[in-house]
Amino acid sequence: MTNKSTKQLDILKFIYEKQQQRGYPPTVREIGDGVGLASSSTVHGHLTRLQNKGFIQKKAEKTRAITVTNTGIQALKKADILALPDISAPVISTPQDIISSLDEDTILLQHNSNTMINIGILNRDYLLIKKESAIPDGAIVAVTLDKNNDGTSQTDVYRYFKERNQVRLQPENSNLKPVITNHVEIIGKVIGVYRNEIN
């Protein structure tokens, strides 16, 4: 993740929030003041990159003609803390908030796969994991398992289902099949997701 993409996210949020509050977008100067950028040329550069990504529309001849597109709104939804549908996720908005949320039973883990993309957990997201002894069916969990039966364990995230003497690890990705296994180490239950860049 980069400071540039994080700053673009800040700008996108600022524009959207001002549109919602006032009914019209902020000026370039207001954007700079709002996100801590003193240079208007730097703000223009970020706006151009946001426009190239399809997150905003702007007209050069008008100072307030900036509109957050539907694609931009979806990016904001994905970039905010994602309250998973079956859990009560903590409110986390910055890395410092994550650190202060941790205790001896909670860890931070970077997700490095596409197993859960259908519910908005993306590759490289940071996941807040709560260690729990009892995991209910359907919970989203981080696990360590040997998927290829070659002695190499890897960490991944799935929905957990106990079925007789086996465990079914169900991905939220229509391109992937569930993993049926007798041997899985459950790291813990996913209770929050953090992302601070625009993908």
Side-chain angles (χ1 to χ4, degrees):
M1 63 191 67
T2 66
N3 289 333
K4 286 184 178 179
S5 60
T6 301
K7 188 58 72 175
Q8 288 170 32
L9 178 59
D10 291 342
I11 290 172
L12 192 63
K13 282 184 177 179
F14 185 80
I15 294 169
Y16 181 75
E17 287 169 358
K18 291 303 178 187
Q19 280 181 320
Q20 297 304 303
Q21 291 168 6
R22 307 186 305 193
Y24 57 89
T27 64
V28 169
R29 183 185 296 272
E30 288 171 336
I31 293 170
D33 291 342
V35 301
L37 291 174
S39 169
S40 60
S41 62
T42 301
V43 176
H44 277 294
H46 284 306
L47 290 174
T48 297
R49 284 185 280 276
L50 286 168
Q51 185 174 31
N52 291 339
K53 291 177 180 178
F55 296 149
I56 64 169
Q57 290 180 341
K58 65 187 183 79
K59 296 179 181 178
E61 68 275 11
K62 295 182 179 179
T63 58
R64 290 188 184 271
I66 304 171
T67 305
V68 178
T69 64
N70 287 334
T71 303
I73 293 170
Q74 291 305 310
L76 284 174
K77 287 180 179 178
K78 288 181 178 179
D80 281 337
I81 295 311
L82 305 176
L84 302 178
D86 57 344
I87 64 174
S88 178
V91 177
I92 307 169
S93 57
T94 69
Q96 187 57 47
D97 290 336
I98 291 177
I99 293 169
S100 65
S101 298
L102 301 181
D103 56 39
E104 61 183 12
D105 293 321
T106 309
I107 62 171
L108 187 65
L109 177 74
Q110 188 170 29
H111 177 52
N112 290 303
S113 82
N114 291 315
T115 56
M116 306 301 284
I117 59 174
N118 287 1
I119 61 169
I121 300 178
L122 307 183
N123 184 37
R124 299 184 59 79
D125 281 350
Y126 288 92
L127 307 180
L128 209 58
I129 310 294
K130 187 79 170 179
K131 298 177 184 177
E132 294 186 2
S133 56
I135 303 294
D137 272 6
I140 299 170
V141 295
V143 300
T144 301
L145 72 160
D146 179 5
K147 282 200 292 190
N148 300 318
N149 296 314
D150 60 1
T152 304
S153 294
Q154 63 186 75
T155 300
D156 219 326
V157 177
Y158 295 92
R159 283 197 186 275
Y160 171 90
F161 295 93
K162 179 70 174 173
E163 297 179 343
R164 295 185 180 179
N165 60 340
Q166 293 182 319
V167 168
R168 173 166 55 94
L169 300 173
Q170 184 70 43
E172 291 282 358
N173 181 335
S174 54
N175 295 318
L176 299 178
K177 295 180 179 179
V179 176
I180 309 297
T181 181
N182 294 315
H183 306 288
V184 59
E185 179 185 346
I186 298 175
I187 300 171
K189 183 179 176 182
V190 178
I191 61 170
V193 182
Y194 175 76
R195 182 182 312 135
N196 71 343
E197 66 178 347
I198 299 172
N199 296 314

